[in-house]
Amino acid sequence: MAATAAMAGRLWWKHGVIYQIYPRSFMDSNGDGIGDLDGIRQRLDHLSFLGVDGIWISPCFPSPMKDFGYDVSDYCDIDPMFGDLASFDRLLAEAHARDIKVILDWVPNHTSDQHAWFLESRRSVKDPKRDWYVWRDPKLDGSPPNNWQAIFGGSAWEWDTETGQYYLHSFLTEQPDLNWRNPDVEAAMHDVLHFWLKRGVDGFRIDVIHKIAKDPELRDNPLHENGLPGYLGQIHVNDEDHPDVHGMLRSIRRVFDRYPERMTVGEVALSHPDPAVTASYLGKGDELDLAFNFSFMLGPWTAADYRREIDQFLGLIPAGCWPDWVLSNHDFARHASRHDHPELGEKRARVAAALMLTLRGTPFLYYGEEIGMRDGVIPEDRMQDPLAWTIHPKLSRDPERTPMQWAGGAGAGFSDGEPWLPIADGHDQRNVETQRWDPGSMLHLYRDLIALRRATPALEGGSFDWVDSDTDVLAWKRRAPGSRALVALNLGEAPASARLPEARVTGGLHTAHGSPLPARSGTVELQPCEGLVLVVED
Ligand code: GLC
Ligand code: CA
């Protein structure tokens, strides 16, 4: 079946499923309590079993780890904590041998303050690298050059006593912003891409791409009428989503054009989210390949809300471009926790899986969601995320970053040592080992959905149209040449039905494993939080 799809022009990042690995938390191979690249390699079996097409590894480059790798001190190496270039090459080769693509995380907006470029830049106002970052004189009263705020709290400007100027940092003070208006910076950052693309990397997730261009005059942001303090209390006309970012993206795209089948997916995490702006980062098919669609992250668990978000995003995708869907990542509470429910929590997570894997567009899965992992409860004295102290412990992103639950027992099969974050409660029951032998488990549901998607051209790349249904039900049809699928998902707490087109059912699955599939589609009845994916005769 995979061969047939390939012949029909299957493009891995478009038709496949991408799985995010937070490397600190996936698998520790040497007992220091921190996940690493050899650990990921040891667990490739799991990824093959699951059937994903590609993995995205959050930053694994040398870093002081102030923001756990999103503060890079060398873009062209691997942090010793995670391994070295040789262990990376081994991982890449073994992943490729299993037909799993590997994408890395490129952080272009800022470096670590320990990056050689910044160490040089801060030496003196005359340093040749001075202009690689954004340095400015204080105002006459000594205050920062403008009113910009750091997303991680406080002014976006840090005073440097030695050289008597401020530097700009959109996140932590240890993450100075690069000056993308300097052509040498742009060239050096393109070289980073070449370095990894030549090594065989299949693409990049691009961190906060909407931030790289700012107002050249560094004008103040107007205040937002919401009256909130800090970053959210401003309208970010001058420090995010500046129109010049699109030209910079087109140049980045030209780097990728030299390497066939490599891809980019960009994070456009606007302070005031707007799917239209997100979609604009696809350009005319000449900017990003995919722009993370975070619209599911913020909404409630209602069919109406999902319907609206789906309609909106699909409607915004420019001709020739491709949508994508995200329910969880390393910056948000896990969806199984966000939408947990005393009786229906598990069933909701199963319906969510069917939704992600049967919509038109590339699904991004977050490690652990395939076993229904919930957020951990992290005591304050074990919190690691800097947001816990720069803003508030409630904003800590540690709960969604707890170690992968491979097995029961002390280290959850993740580590023989003391894990860097506590293992989430309930891992003795909820883990890969137990679920692997249970055909009714969440893990098998994800695996079956991925296999069904891969075997069904209509699900991988077909058209999308809504079908009439009860209010709490989402129902749609997908169609590709010679292939047809129907989906009906009940998000509600009562039985409901959908009126699917009449056809003979040839395959598919029920989110309640073991429930029989109807012989024909037509009106289908669904129990609360249950869903059907039907492959029907064309
Ligand atoms: C992105 C990352 C987040 C990081 C931030 C700063 O939003 O997803 O984890 O803290 O960028 O690099
Ligand atoms: Ca380790």
Side-chain angles (χ1 to χ4, degrees), residues 19-39:
Y19 180 98
Q20 179 188 359
I21 291 179
Y22 196 67
R24 293 182 76 84
S25 301
F26 196 62
M27 180 67 205
D28 172 21
S29 71
N30 62 353
D32 66 356
I34 297 169
D36 45 58
L37 298 184
D38 278 343

Side-chain angles (χ1 to χ4, degrees), residues 240-507:
E240 66 175 40
D241 187 37
H242 188 277
D244 292 345
V245 74
H246 297 284
M248 294 172 185
L249 259 180
R250 284 190 289 274
S251 304
I252 292 168
R253 177 62 175 252
R254 284 194 287 275
V255 171
F256 283 81
D257 285 345
R258 291 165 55 181
Y259 303 86
E261 276 207 55
R262 314 302 171 88
M263 59 83 76
T264 56
V265 53
E267 181 199 30
V268 188
L270 301 164
S271 46
H272 304 285
D274 180 349
V277 178
T278 304
S280 77
Y281 280 69
L282 303 171
K284 297 186 177 75
D286 55 355
E287 296 185 30
L288 292 172
D289 287 313
L290 299 172
F292 280 134
N293 165 20
F294 294 142
S295 56
F296 288 170
M297 300 276 215
L298 308 165
W301 180 257
T302 65
D305 202 73
Y306 279 95
R307 195 175 293 118
R308 189 174 50 246
E309 301 297 357
I310 293 166
D311 255 344
Q312 192 175 24
F313 201 64
L314 291 180
L316 287 165
I317 296 299
C321 296
W322 194 244
D324 65 85
W325 311 96
V326 185
L327 266 175
S328 291
N329 70 20
H330 64 295
D331 293 328
F332 288 86
R334 289 177 176 273
H335 65 268
S337 289
R338 293 199 313 269
H339 301 306
D340 214 349
H341 179 285
E343 291 95 46
L344 294 169
E346 209 60 18
K347 291 183 145 226
R348 283 182 171 185
R350 295 176 75 97
V351 167
L355 173 109
M356 285 293 280
L357 291 160
T358 64
L359 278 172
R360 174 181 164 82
T362 305
F364 282 87
L365 309 183
Y366 184 49
Y367 83 92
E369 79 169 75
E370 74 275 31
I371 53 168
M373 259 175 76
R374 305 293 201 273
D375 289 348
V377 178
I378 316 292
E380 270 190 45
D381 64 345
R382 292 223 39 199
M383 283 187 182
Q384 303 276 343
D385 183 19
L387 288 191
W389 44 90
T390 61
I391 309 191
H392 194 280
K394 273 208 185 94
L395 293 187
S396 162
R397 296 166 293 179
D398 297 326
E400 59 265 26
R401 297 176 177 180
T402 60
M404 178 68 178
Q405 296 161 200
W406 297 105
F414 161 74
S415 176
D416 295 334
E418 172 72 16
W420 76 287
L421 276 176
I423 315 269
D425 289 345
H427 77 277
D428 279 336
Q429 292 77 45
R430 187 186 297 288
N431 61 60
V432 173
E433 202 173 77
T434 32
Q435 294 198 13
R436 185 135 176 185
W437 305 114
D438 171 8
S441 66
M442 186 78 78
L443 177 59
H444 276 265
L445 177 66
Y446 269 86
R447 180 178 197 247
D448 293 348
L449 279 163
I450 293 172
L452 183 65
R453 180 186 167 95
R454 186 184 278 263
T456 313
L459 290 176
E460 274 203 337
S463 60
F464 174 98
D465 289 290
W466 292 108
V467 168
D468 242 18
S469 62
D470 289 354
T471 328
D472 285 341
V473 175
L474 295 172
W476 57 75
K477 44 186 181 186
R478 307 283 316 274
R479 187 166 215 154
S483 169
R484 239 174 114 198
L486 305 168
V487 178
L489 309 172
N490 180 8
L491 274 63
E493 297 184 15
S497 65
R499 286 163 289 284
L500 302 174
E502 278 281 348
R504 195 171 73 84
V505 173
T506 58

Side-chain angles (χ1 to χ4, degrees), residues 67 70 110 152 171 205 207-208 267 330-331 397 401:
D67 188 20
Y70 285 97
H110 45 269
F152 289 175
F171 294 87
R205 180 263 187 188
D207 193 59
V208 293
E267 181 199 30
H330 64 295
D331 293 328
R397 296 166 293 179
R401 297 176 177 180

Side-chain angles (χ1 to χ4, degrees), residues 53-361:
D53 298 76
I55 52 176
W56 145 33
I57 306 175
S58 284
C60 52
F61 315 107
S63 163
M65 301 288 164
K66 296 287 180 197
D67 188 20
F68 296 110
Y70 285 97
D71 49 326
V72 179
S73 54
D74 180 353
Y75 289 102
C76 297
D77 205 347
I78 298 293
D79 194 283
M81 187 180 277
F82 296 128
D84 53 22
L85 284 170
S87 47
F88 178 77
D89 289 342
R90 274 197 304 275
L91 169 59
L92 189 64
E94 288 189 26
H96 283 171
R98 293 165 183 265
D99 260 333
I100 296 174
K101 308 283 187 188
V102 177
I103 72 176
L104 290 178
D105 207 318
W106 186 54
V107 187
N109 180 68
H110 45 269
T111 67
S112 156
D113 64 348
Q114 298 307 307
H115 195 292
W117 299 341
F118 189 70
L119 295 177
E120 288 168 45
S121 182
R122 81 181 309 170
R123 267 194 316 229
S124 87
V125 292
K126 296 250 157 47
D127 193 277
K129 290 247 164 35
R130 188 65 167 183
D131 186 49
W132 280 45
Y133 293 83
V134 187
W135 290 97
R136 284 296 182 281
D137 288 334
K139 285 188 178 161
L140 286 178
D141 65 358
S143 63
N146 66 24
N147 73 349
W148 295 359
Q149 299 288 303
I151 295 174
F152 289 175
S155 165
W157 296 94
E158 180 72 2
W159 177 245
D160 181 56
T161 323
E162 297 286 305
T163 59
Q165 284 192 317
Y166 283 96
Y167 68 84
L168 181 68
H169 62 90
S170 294
F171 294 87
L172 298 173
T173 53
E174 295 92 344
Q175 293 169 297
D177 281 32
L178 283 164
N179 175 18
W180 268 78
R181 296 193 182 272
N182 180 329
D184 293 340
V185 168
E186 189 169 29
M189 288 305 287
H190 287 185
D191 284 348
V192 170
L193 296 172
H194 286 296
F195 175 85
W196 292 106
L197 291 168
K198 279 192 200 131
R199 250 189 147 82
V201 161
D202 300 286
F204 278 91
R205 180 263 187 188
I206 307 182
D207 193 59
V208 293
I209 187 64
H210 59 296
K211 275 282 197 187
I212 64 172
K214 286 120 186 156
D215 176 37
E217 292 170 44
L218 304 180
R219 282 169 290 193
D220 276 359
N221 282 322
L223 297 184
H224 199 282
E225 61 189 13
N226 64 20
L228 291 173
Y231 197 79
L232 292 178
Q234 297 188 352
I235 306 174
H236 293 277
V237 285
N238 291 321
D239 65 344
E240 66 175 40
D241 187 37
H242 188 277
D244 292 345
V245 74
H246 297 284
M248 294 172 185
L249 259 180
R250 284 190 289 274
S251 304
I252 292 168
R253 177 62 175 252
R254 284 194 287 275
V255 171
F256 283 81
D257 285 345
R258 291 165 55 181
Y259 303 86
E261 276 207 55
R262 314 302 171 88
M263 59 83 76
T264 56
V265 53
E267 181 199 30
V268 188
L270 301 164
S271 46
H272 304 285
D274 180 349
V277 178
T278 304
S280 77
Y281 280 69
L282 303 171
K284 297 186 177 75
D286 55 355
E287 296 185 30
L288 292 172
D289 287 313
L290 299 172
F292 280 134
N293 165 20
F294 294 142
S295 56
F296 288 170
M297 300 276 215
L298 308 165
W301 180 257
T302 65
D305 202 73
Y306 279 95
R307 195 175 293 118
R308 189 174 50 246
E309 301 297 357
I310 293 166
D311 255 344
Q312 192 175 24
F313 201 64
L314 291 180
L316 287 165
I317 296 299
C321 296
W322 194 244
D324 65 85
W325 311 96
V326 185
L327 266 175
S328 291
N329 70 20
H330 64 295
D331 293 328
F332 288 86
R334 289 177 176 273
H335 65 268
S337 289
R338 293 199 313 269
H339 301 306
D340 214 349
H341 179 285
E343 291 95 46
L344 294 169
E346 209 60 18
K347 291 183 145 226
R348 283 182 171 185
R350 295 176 75 97
V351 167
L355 173 109
M356 285 293 280
L357 291 160
T358 64
L359 278 172
R360 174 181 164 82

